[in-house]
Amino acid sequence: MLKSHIYFIFFVVLLTGCIGQKKVVSTELPIQAECFSTLVDKHFTPTDIEFKELDEKYQDEIDRRKHFLSLALEMEEDLQRLVQMKMDEEPEEDIKRLRDQLIRVVDLAEMEVSAIASGLICEEENSTQLATYLDRKVGNQERKLTVAAITIGAGMATARGVTNLGGWQSPAVEGVILAGALVEVYIAVKILLLTRKMEVEHPVNIIEMVIEKDNSAGIFSPAVWFYLNETSEVMEKPLRDQMIERWETYTQYADKDFDLFMGEKGTYNAEQLHTRSDLLENITAQVNIMKQDIMHMMRFLHGF
């Protein structure tokens, strides 16, 4: 009789094991193929931009934010020359020609910011889609195991009720009921440990670029890279450093599991894909902050 109980437990464990075992889900859909294709093919040429102090005689017209953006766009000399031309009361035609030239530079910078942000948003949304897909897979498995647990629990409860009413208690019956209880515990543990993973390729790893402070691939324009990494007169720390400090505080940045987000590919579960999406969203937000200073500069130039 004991042997039959063991066979019963073995059969149920085998059945639920097929339902709840860990799997790496495959997908033929690339996570970022379309996201950075143009930025990879037509990448920016990385250049080092140095921070320079603003000449005191221009500080009434050019505030710290305009000066910092002009450095990022490598147009600080032309911006100062524009102000000087106004001071010297040079012909309006010449002033307008230089002003329009600077407006075109700022317009191009805004397009660069939007292009980089769109690539980040694209990969962020793809990561979220894959995470949702894995969540759905786990949810389906969880429902199957829950149904199995409820069925076994109901069967054991019915068996105990019948045996109690009929006075049929025996070691064999108690053994079957105990075996059912053990199977219920096993299924509950299986539900807790349910997971699905997916191998994801990300040859253009923006997160790694930001952490390693490496723009050698030229995905970021020189202006955006300068804006993220340089200390300005307005901020004590660069945007990149502030962001990484938040990662250290609010994510598992210091944990060895964070290594998963580095490199050209990794095997992710749903939670890790959600985390990757959140990190990309953080970078996107920092890149888009540049648009505030672009707006500030455009108002200045159009009203000049």
Side-chain angles (χ1 to χ4, degrees), residues 255-285:
D255 197 296
K256 64 179 181 180
D257 290 343
F258 200 89
D259 291 342
L260 174 66
F261 303 114
M262 312 290 274
E264 295 187 356
K265 64 180 179 180
T267 303
Y268 292 79
N269 61 29
E271 182 182 358
Q272 290 163 337
L273 281 168
H274 280 302
T275 299
R276 183 175 185 85
S277 178
D278 290 342
L279 297 177
L280 291 166
E281 185 178 13
N282 294 159
I283 299 171
T284 306

Side-chain angles (χ1 to χ4, degrees), residues 18-220:
C18 292
I19 295 174
Q21 63 185 333
K22 286 186 180 180
K23 289 181 181 177
V24 176
V25 181
S26 61
T27 177
E28 295 180 359
L29 297 175
I31 190 173
Q32 60 172 204
E34 76 279 18
C35 297
F36 297 103
S37 56
T38 302
L39 293 175
V40 170
D41 294 340
K42 307 292 182 183
H43 61 82
F44 298 101
T45 302
T47 58
D48 292 326
I49 302 172
E50 294 182 5
F51 181 84
K52 302 171 187 173
E53 296 289 343
L54 177 63
D55 192 316
E56 287 185 6
K57 69 177 181 178
Y58 300 119
Q59 289 181 3
D60 289 340
E61 288 285 346
I62 303 173
D63 62 27
R64 292 177 296 177
R65 286 196 173 277
K66 294 192 203 83
H67 175 59
F68 187 67
L69 183 65
S70 72
L71 289 172
L73 304 184
E74 299 182 86
M75 60 175 239
E76 74 280 1
E77 292 182 2
D78 286 336
L79 183 62
Q80 291 171 24
R81 186 157 61 90
L82 181 68
V83 172
Q84 187 64 51
M85 290 172 72
K86 184 178 180 181
M87 290 177 177
D88 296 341
E89 298 183 348
E90 292 192 23
E92 284 295 326
E93 239 179 64
D94 296 341
I95 293 175
K96 183 179 182 300
R97 188 180 302 112
L98 180 56
R99 186 198 67 183
D100 291 346
Q101 177 185 322
L102 294 180
I103 288 174
R104 287 193 293 272
V105 172
V106 180
D107 276 337
L108 178 60
E110 185 172 16
M111 285 189 284
E112 290 173 356
V113 171
S114 296
I116 295 165
S118 68
L120 288 163
I121 292 170
C122 172
E123 185 180 347
E124 172 198 330
E125 290 181 349
N126 287 351
S127 295
T128 301
Q129 279 185 329
L130 292 179
T132 302
Y133 172 73
L134 289 181
D135 280 333
R136 192 164 61 248
K137 284 278 188 183
V138 170
N140 290 338
Q141 303 292 325
E142 187 175 331
R143 279 192 293 275
K144 291 175 184 177
L145 287 170
T146 302
V147 169
I150 291 172
T151 302
I152 292 171
M156 294 304 103
T158 301
R160 179 173 288 279
V162 170
T163 54
N164 286 341
L165 288 174
W168 299 334
Q169 287 89 348
S170 70
V173 172
E174 291 299 324
V176 170
I177 293 172
L178 176 61
L182 291 174
V183 170
E184 279 189 87
V185 171
Y186 171 76
I187 292 176
V189 172
K190 290 288 288 184
I191 291 174
L192 290 174
L193 297 179
L194 265 180
T195 186
R196 286 290 182 273
K197 291 192 172 187
M198 178 177 288
E199 188 173 276
V200 175
E201 294 186 359
H202 33 69
V204 181
N205 196 331
I206 300 295
I207 295 172
E208 184 176 30
M209 289 178 191
V210 170
I211 290 173
E212 299 295 334
K213 208 172 181 179
D214 178 14
N215 188 37
S216 56
I219 300 300
F220 292 92

